[in-house]
Amino acid sequence: MLQKIKILMPGPIKFNFVKEGLGYYLNKLEKFVEISALFPKVKIKESEKNIRIKKEGEVLKRYISDKEYLIVLDEKGKAFKSFELAKKLENLMQNQTFITFVIGGPEGLSEELKKDAKEIWSISSLTLNHEITLLVLVEALYRSFTIIKGIPYHKE
């Protein structure tokens, strides 16, 4: 039975509207599940993209244990419609105690983290700024929980 959701993304968050929206949805989600969002700083002076992605991946991995069901977000991952996502989340809630979502930084996500993931999901087929992806993820999770619980929020 699901006990906790964690969201990981390289930090810090720069956009104030993302901070505000994140706080709004995390507060709403706490009615359904224990949820946390962590944004570890990754200090990299290297300008080469592959080295930056690898370093970010190493830092993020420090915040993930083997007990967590790891889902990474990538534009090439599996996409869901709202009801499909709610059903998927409901199934995961029955079988997992701790789900962790990982969002890559501005350059993307390391291949190592993708290989460690149990699943790779897509929030959009568009390439989105990682902070926007975070905001869309928490709204989608909230929407899923309201669908599961039969709370009027989703309109179709």
Side-chain angles (χ1 to χ4, degrees):
M1 200 71 160
L2 183 64
Q3 295 175 4
K4 185 171 183 177
I5 292 176
K6 177 171 62 182
I7 301 168
L8 275 173
M9 183 185 82
I13 295 175
K14 295 178 181 166
F15 297 134
N16 286 332
F17 72 92
V18 171
K19 291 177 191 174
E20 186 177 317
L22 177 65
Y24 176 83
Y25 283 109
L26 289 179
N27 185 49
K28 288 186 156 296
L29 280 162
E30 286 174 352
K31 296 171 184 150
F32 304 112
V33 66
E34 182 182 338
I35 188 163
S36 63
L38 301 171
F39 311 107
K41 286 186 179 180
V42 182
K43 294 184 179 184
I44 306 168
K45 293 182 180 177
E46 180 61 52
S47 61
E48 188 178 327
K49 177 182 172 181
N50 292 337
I51 294 172
R52 292 183 63 79
I53 290 171
K54 186 174 190 277
K55 181 67 173 171
E56 281 181 352
E58 290 168 359
V59 170
L60 292 173
K61 279 187 79 149
R62 292 185 210 146
Y63 292 85
I64 304 166
S65 77
D66 292 338
K67 297 175 184 173
E68 299 169 41
Y69 190 86
L70 182 60
I71 300 171
V72 299
L73 299 182
D74 184 84
E75 65 192 32
K76 296 178 182 105
K78 178 158 177 44
F80 299 92
K81 293 184 178 181
S82 294
F83 277 104
E84 294 170 338
L85 182 60
K87 186 69 174 164
K88 177 67 176 174
L89 189 58
E90 189 173 31
N91 288 337
L92 286 172
M93 289 168 54
Q94 301 303 316
N95 300 306
Q96 304 301 323
T97 56
F98 198 152
I99 299 172
T100 296
F101 292 94
V102 175
I103 300 168
E107 303 290 346
L109 199 57
S110 75
E111 289 302 316
E112 187 177 344
L113 266 176
K114 289 179 189 178
K115 288 177 188 171
D116 288 348
K118 302 286 189 211
E119 299 187 39
I120 300 176
W121 292 5
S122 172
I123 288 295
S124 172
S125 58
L126 298 170
T127 301
L128 298 174
N129 173 287
H130 62 292
E131 291 188 26
I132 302 299
T133 299
L134 170 67
L135 193 53
V136 174
L137 172 64
V138 292
E139 193 281 338
L141 291 173
Y142 176 69
R143 182 175 299 274
S144 293
F145 275 103
T146 61
I147 290 170
I148 292 165
K149 303 291 185 184
I151 297 168
Y153 175 77
H154 178 74
K155 294 168 181 57
E156 187 166 88

